[in-house]
Every structure is written in C-alpha cells, then in structure tokens.
Amino acid sequence: MSSQKHAALLYTASRVGIFVVCFAVVWVLAYFRVIPLAVGASNTVWMLLLAIVISAPLSFVLLRKQRDAMSQQIVAKVDRQKARLAANRSQEDGV
C-alpha cells in the first residue's frame, strides 16, 4: 500500500489510533483514581472529551508528515478535476 496513494486513509487511521490510545490512558488513570471521576453517568463523556483534548495537539505534532502528504494528494486531485473541467469547457465552447 503506497503511503502517497492512501495518504488520507493513513492520516485518518493514525488520528483514530492516537485518540484510542489517549482514551485508554485516560480510562486507566480514572480507573486507578489518579484523575478524579466525573459526577454520575457523565464519566464516559468527560473521559471522551479529555481524550479529545489530549489527542488533538498530539496529532498536530506527531502526524505532520502524514498531514502534508494528504494535503498534497488532495491538491493533486483538485488540480486534475480543474484540468478536466477546463477541457470539458473548451470542448463545449468549440462546438
């Protein structure tokens, strides 16, 4: 599987992986009462929010190469679509 060809898939899977690891760490810390538990049934929601807050900056720093590769892949695809659209317009104008 080429990393350039599947850059968006790799980036998304990496983001999900980092989130899952952060959630597991938060869950373990809450389980051993290192961090306080929320009140009532909102414990899971607070742990999810904390995992999101932790994983966002980690993803920003750790996934820089994957994000750049994904943006290059998207730019290339948009450029191809623009060229195809321009070619179709010129064919319509020539008729």
Side-chain angles (χ1 to χ4, degrees):
M1 179 161 78
S2 172
S3 63
Q4 185 66 20
K5 185 176 180 183
H6 301 286
L9 181 62
L10 177 64
Y11 178 74
T12 303
S14 299
R15 287 281 314 251
V16 170
I18 288 174
F19 171 75
V20 168
V21 168
C22 288
F23 182 76
V25 168
V26 168
W27 184 82
V28 167
L29 291 174
Y31 181 78
F32 289 113
R33 309 269 189 213
V34 174
I35 58 174
L37 295 174
V39 177
S42 66
N43 185 32
T44 305
V45 173
W46 286 114
M47 289 193 316
L48 284 170
L49 289 174
L50 185 58
I52 289 171
V53 167
I54 293 169
S55 68
L58 285 175
S59 296
F60 183 75
V61 173
L62 297 175
L63 301 179
R64 184 171 310 230
K65 289 181 184 179
Q66 288 87 357
R67 190 173 51 252
D68 290 341
M70 182 180 68
S71 68
Q72 289 174 356
Q73 179 187 19
I74 291 170
V75 166
K77 186 177 273 191
V78 168
D79 289 342
R80 283 193 309 270
Q81 292 295 334
K82 283 182 181 180
R84 187 182 312 165
L85 183 61
N88 287 343
R89 282 185 186 157
S90 66
Q91 285 179 353
E92 290 174 3
D93 292 341
V95 173

